[in-house]
């Protein structure tokens, strides 16, 4: 029975697991950041090696039986660090073990499509759209960072909440329950005090992105301003999804699987409704991820080994990780 | 003949002059930042005192004859520092000299309306709208800073240029000459390298705001994408102008004087055309500033002394400052 080593590498933490094709999790390690755009090359190499060593310690027997390592690493493709990542992992294995380095968007896709081609719209603190077509070509849109390209990200939605609050205050915009929610959040009694809360902080992004949840709350409560914000974000998701879809080559099928991944989409049903109201040129089938992203990495490994992704695998893996998406 | 001390205090530099009612400039000093939101209270006080001392040194005779000091200081109202600013200036004069502390937007308004009520839309690196009505009430909209409220500022236009370039690159947007202009600006050969140019800098705002000039260039050349960016900015200016205008009390008159001030509006005719295409609820008369902002401070002083602002004053002052707006 083949064993897969799956890695989900991000800017905040890195998760690595050993799993077999039935979804039996044989080892699991959570480490620090492995995004090389945020840390040095040496730190990147040592963090990755440390995490893999720990997996080995946890279950040396399973570790030795790994037939494929599939890693979804953020920031690695941007720096062309695929070879570096591969050589770190190669130290642990001989040449018979296949090692695949992909970006983190790829495993987010697989966690929803279960290894099939499709599109994933990610919206966490940042936003990016990734597409893998029927001929294994990949495309991306967005992901150019928070300073000029992040529509629909948590940071963007939080910023739109602040915009709406100050525009309501100085008579440029209509009233919104966002005002009350944002004032409560900062425990302040006047809109003018928002400026101090935001600009005095060294990392305003970390202050602003969490406000996105109030946009979602307010939209659920029927607040018009919040609903307009979500509708505009949905327009941007569709724009990016269709930009990818139109370049890709699809084998005939009716609907394109489109995974919505990341913290912004926690209320999937809300976004499903908002998205379905948008005009579209493609028929999109919106999907929730069925596993956390590292599950997508295991699926990538199974795919590489031509193993089927069974319902048993999904259920077992989700159960054992106890972190269903 | 009354002499006025006028001060234009900003985040980058502070300009102070002594002028009489004929526009004869009797002393002129350019100092550093006097925006207390950017420097400490002590630095603020000492910079202001230093600048005034230098004016005195330059022309002690004229300095002693000052009947009014009118200062337009950025950031002072935000921190309720009017009293502090006043007490610094009061050290140089007895109680017969009137000292008026206003924000910098007020003198920008006066530099265009020559002391009359009206509205000023400022768009430099940042953006703010200020209005002084016929009954001396003031209103403002915008100016909440670059993180969430700066539509139509130089920073905003520069960011929109970058958005347009990356959206064109990843098939979300249409082609635009902004791509060529931005690549030339950074001396790079690929859009993907923009990320490094922007995010590796400690002060991305200072990198992004200057790109606004390419939006204006491209719009002049007929680029559709750039024209849409300017049109959206114009919508935001009108929104802010009308938000102020609708709260204000105006004595009957046909058109509201609306000054366009700041570096973004250097090509006044272009913005005039773009603005006149927007739907409006008020009749607005768009005006170019006739003097640099410190001239607006002198006008504020003349107004305080019930002196007329003559054509002679405007011509002389502009000529002597050799910095016609």
């Amino acid at each position: 029975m083949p064993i897969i080593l799956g890695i989900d590498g991000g800017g905040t933490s890195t998760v690595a697991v050993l799993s077999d094709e039935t979804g039996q999790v044989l080892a699991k390690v959570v480490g620090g950041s492995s995004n090389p755009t945020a840390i040095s090359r040496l730190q990147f190499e040592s963090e990755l090696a440390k995490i893999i060593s720990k997996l080995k310690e946890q279950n040396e027997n399973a570790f030795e039986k790994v037939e494929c390592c599939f890693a979804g690493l953020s920031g690695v493709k941007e720096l062309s660090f695929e070879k570096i990542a591969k050589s770190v992992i190669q130290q642990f294995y001989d040449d018979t073990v296949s090692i695949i380095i992909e970006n983190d968007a790829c495993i987010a896709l697989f966690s929803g499509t279960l290894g099939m081609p499709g599109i994933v719209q990610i919206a966490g603190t940042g936003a990016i759209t990734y597409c893998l077509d029927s001929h294994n070509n990949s495309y991306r849109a967005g992901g150019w960072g928070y300073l000029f390209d992040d529509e629909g990200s948590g940071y963007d939605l939080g910023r739109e909440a602040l915009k709406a609050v100050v525009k309501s205050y100085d008579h440029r915009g209509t009233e919104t329950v966002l005002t009350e929610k944002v004032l409560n959040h900062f425990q302040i009694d006047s809109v003018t005090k928002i400026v101090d809360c935001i600009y005095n902080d060294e990392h305003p992004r970390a202050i602003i992105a969490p406000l996105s949840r109030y946009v979602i709350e307010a939209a659920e409560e029927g607040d018009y301003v919040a609903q307009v914000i979500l509708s505009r974000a949905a327009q941007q998701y569709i724009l990016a999804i269709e930009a990818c879809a139109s370049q890709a080559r699809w084998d005939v099928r009716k609907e394109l699987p489109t995974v919505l991944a990341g913290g912004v989409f926690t209320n999937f049903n809300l976004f499903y409704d908002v998205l379905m109201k948008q005009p579209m040129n493609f028929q999109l089938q919106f999907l929730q991820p069925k596993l956390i992203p590292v599950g997508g990495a295991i699926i990538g490994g199974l795919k590489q080994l031509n193993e089927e992704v069974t319902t048993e695998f999904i259920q077992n893996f989700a159960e054992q990780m106890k972190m269903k998406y």
Side-chain angles (χ1 to χ4, degrees), chain A:
Chain A
M1 185 172 289
I3 289 170
I4 319 277
L5 193 173
I7 306 176
D8 166 26
T12 313
S13 65
T14 301
V15 182
V17 298
L18 298 180
S19 169
D20 68 13
E21 63 188 19
T22 70
Q24 186 75 14
V25 176
L26 304 157
K28 175 185 145 193
V29 171
V30 179
S33 166
S34 62
N35 184 327
T37 66
I39 55 180
S40 74
R41 178 179 161 165
L42 270 177
Q43 286 174 312
F44 169 72
E45 291 177 324
S46 92
E47 187 62 36
L48 204 53
K50 196 170 80 185
I51 288 163
I52 298 173
S53 301
K54 281 190 182 169
L55 269 186
K56 189 178 175 179
E57 281 170 33
Q58 259 187 42
N59 192 336
E60 191 155 357
N61 185 34
F63 192 86
E64 299 299 340
K65 289 184 186 150
V66 164
E67 290 185 23
C68 179
C69 167
F70 197 100
L73 303 175
S74 65
V76 163
K77 292 244 170 184
E78 284 80 348
L79 294 186
S80 304
F81 263 31
E82 293 97 325
K83 277 191 186 167
I84 295 167
K86 200 167 178 170
S87 75
V88 171
I89 302 169
Q90 198 72 72
Q91 295 166 30
F92 294 87
Y93 291 111
D94 62 39
D95 289 349
T96 63
V97 174
S98 33
I99 298 169
I100 296 139
I101 310 296
E102 270 298 342
N103 61 40
D104 52 336
C106 176
I107 61 171
L109 174 70
F110 288 168
S111 73
T113 63
L114 307 183
M116 301 302 288
I119 302 161
V120 60
Q121 173 61 51
I122 304 180
T125 298
I128 190 168
T129 312
Y130 173 85
C131 166
L132 189 72
D133 74 7
S134 311
H135 300 264
N136 229 27
N137 303 307
S138 65
Y139 308 88
R140 47 174 276 191
W144 300 87
Y146 70 100
L147 281 172
F148 56 87
D149 185 81
D150 59 355
E151 282 111 336
S153 67
Y155 178 60
D156 178 46
L157 295 180
R159 201 173 42 194
E160 289 297 322
L162 291 171
K163 270 186 206 250
V165 170
V166 300
K167 284 191 167 178
S168 166
Y169 180 82
D170 65 19
H171 295 76
R172 283 177 293 165
T174 49
E175 278 186 37
T176 164
V177 300
L178 288 168
T179 300
E180 192 191 330
K181 289 179 191 291
V182 169
L183 294 186
N184 272 347
H185 175 85
F186 290 119
Q187 293 283 296
I188 51 178
D189 57 10
S190 156
V191 169
T192 56
K193 293 181 183 161
I194 288 177
V195 170
D196 275 348
C197 300
I198 306 288
Y199 290 90
N200 284 343
D201 196 275
E202 251 191 275
H203 300 288
R205 242 187 344 147
I207 303 288
I208 293 174
L211 303 176
S212 58
R213 73 167 186 267
Y214 301 117
V215 178
I216 291 157
E217 254 184 43
E220 287 170 332
E221 293 166 14
D223 185 74
Y224 174 73
V225 171
Q227 286 173 342
V228 169
I229 295 173
L230 287 195
S231 174
R232 281 197 205 133
Q235 275 174 33
Q236 296 298 324
Y237 300 142
I238 298 290
L239 185 67
I241 290 164
E242 298 200 331
C244 291
S246 61
Q247 298 171 74
R249 288 170 57 210
W250 303 103
D251 291 348
V252 182
R253 79 165 95 203
K254 207 164 169 252
E255 294 178 316
L256 297 178
T258 306
V259 181
L260 304 181
V264 166
F265 295 126
T266 303
N267 183 339
F268 176 81
N269 292 332
L270 173 72
F271 279 95
Y272 182 85
D273 291 343
V274 175
L275 282 161
M276 291 306 282
K277 283 185 191 144
Q278 299 301 316
M280 293 180 211
N281 300 312
F282 285 81
Q283 278 196 286
L284 306 175
Q285 182 194 16
F286 295 105
L287 300 173
Q288 247 183 315
K290 289 167 190 69
L291 298 174
I292 60 169
V294 74
I298 301 293
I299 290 169
L302 289 170
K303 199 183 157 194
Q304 180 68 17
L305 299 175
N306 289 313
E307 295 282 343
E308 209 188 333
V309 181
T310 61
T311 312
E312 183 196 11
F313 166 80
I314 304 295
Q315 282 172 349
N316 279 344
F317 192 87
E319 171 66 26
Q320 291 192 45
M321 294 300 283
K322 296 224 171 81
M323 293 160 73
K324 196 164 183 297
Y325 209 90

